[in-house]
Amino acid sequence: AQSVTQLGSHVSVSEGALVLLRCNYSSSVPPYLFWYVQYPNQGLQLLLKYTSAATLVKGINGFEAEFKKSETSFHLTKPSAHMSDAAEYFCAVSDSGGYNKLIFGAGTRLAVHP
Amino acid sequence: ETGVTQSPTHLIKTRGQQVTLRCSSQSGHNTVSWYQQALGQGPQFIFQYYREEENGRGNFPPRFSGLQFPNYSSELNVNALELDDSALYLCASSSYGTSGMLDTQYFGPGTRLTVL
């Protein structure tokens, strides 16, 4: 069965510092992988997705993620954090079954302090 | 292009009652998936509707049911509400691509259900 593990339920960085949010997945087939962001009291917004093309995926708001098959990882990075990046971030893998449900990690809450 | 919308925004019910949540899919999408997000957790898949038929179901009891209409909007119905049903309910719309895989799922803002 496919699964997603997000290491670190809370991450705190200074404004301007590197953001690194970790995601490891388990899948027996080549996965589709996603990062979503959730701001307080809102739904999920797609940041970026990996669908077996380029292993380095660029998303919105300056975020990017690299698919590493050997490490079964899909970590999310941003070179310089901004206060507006404070939110909950979810990594997800698409179930390879017939209806491609999303399987989410537990989420990482990112805090950005001045 | 209109995005995914959900109604109502918030809802308060008591144990044993029934509730209906609504979702309007994004223009051009024919698939709606519903997810439950309990406080402090990631979303959990409830079920998916494709062309008005249930197309897959997660580990939720039969008192969670749904419908999809010809315009691809959808309802989630929950009977005999329990305290643990308190959560944010998210719907996501998408379409199946030529590869047979579901394209990116776009989420609505959610309905916050509180069961007292």
Side-chain angles (χ1 to χ4, degrees):
Chain A
Q2 291 166 303
S3 64
V4 172
T5 302
Q6 291 184 241
L7 299 176
S9 58
H10 290 81
V11 170
S12 181
V13 301
S14 298
E15 191 173 20
L18 171 72
V19 175
L20 171 60
L21 304 183
R22 300 178 187 274
C23 172
N24 288 89
Y25 69 91
S26 170
S27 176
S28 59
V29 297
Y32 283 15
L33 293 160
F34 305 80
W35 276 99
Y36 283 87
V37 62
Q38 186 175 38
Y39 297 100
N41 300 313
Q42 295 187 26
L44 301 175
Q45 180 182 4
L46 179 70
L47 274 178
L48 49 81
K49 62 180 180 180
Y50 167 77
T51 57
S52 74
T55 56
L56 182 62
V57 181
K58 294 187 183 298
I60 63 171
N61 302 338
F63 285 93
E64 63 181 37
E66 185 173 8
F67 172 71
K68 292 187 177 180
K69 184 178 179 180
S70 61
E71 299 177 8
T72 60
S73 69
F74 190 57
H75 301 333
L76 181 71
T77 61
K78 181 174 180 178
S80 177
H82 192 272
M83 297 294 287
S84 61
D85 294 327
E88 186 97 24
Y89 291 80
F90 293 95
C91 181
V93 62
S94 179
D95 187 343
S96 56
Y99 46 92
N100 305 136
K101 68 182 181 185
L102 290 173
I103 300 167
F104 286 89
T108 297
R109 183 166 297 278
L110 175 66
V112 182
H113 52 86
Chain B
E1 182 179 282
T2 306
V4 180
T5 60
Q6 293 186 241
S7 62
T9 305
H10 294 86
L11 207 50
I12 299 175
K13 293 286 188 178
T14 56
R15 267 187 308 175
Q17 286 189 311
Q18 177 267 342
V19 69
T20 297
L21 311 181
R22 296 178 175 82
C23 172
S24 291
S25 58
Q26 189 168 307
S27 176
H29 289 175
N30 57 19
T31 303
V32 172
S33 301
W34 285 92
Y35 294 81
Q36 179 196 65
Q37 185 180 16
L39 198 62
Q41 298 181 24
Q44 299 287 321
F45 175 76
I46 303 174
F47 45 55
Q48 181 185 100
Y49 277 82
Y50 170 62
R51 293 185 176 178
E52 302 178 57
E53 297 285 335
E54 186 177 294
N55 191 43
R57 190 176 186 90
N59 189 26
F60 281 81
R63 59 190 185 83
F64 285 78
S65 63
L67 285 172
Q68 188 178 33
F69 301 99
N71 66 355
Y72 303 125
S73 65
S74 177
E75 286 182 357
L76 164 65
N77 299 288
V78 187
N79 294 320
L81 283 167
E82 300 177 0
L83 296 180
D84 285 349
D85 295 334
S86 294
L88 181 67
Y89 288 85
L90 297 162
C91 78
S93 80
S94 184
S95 286
Y96 280 92
T98 54
S99 64
M101 293 287 287
L102 194 65
D103 288 336
T104 300
Q105 296 184 46
Y106 293 92
F107 284 81
T111 294
R112 173 78 59 189
L113 173 64
T114 302
V115 182
L116 302 176

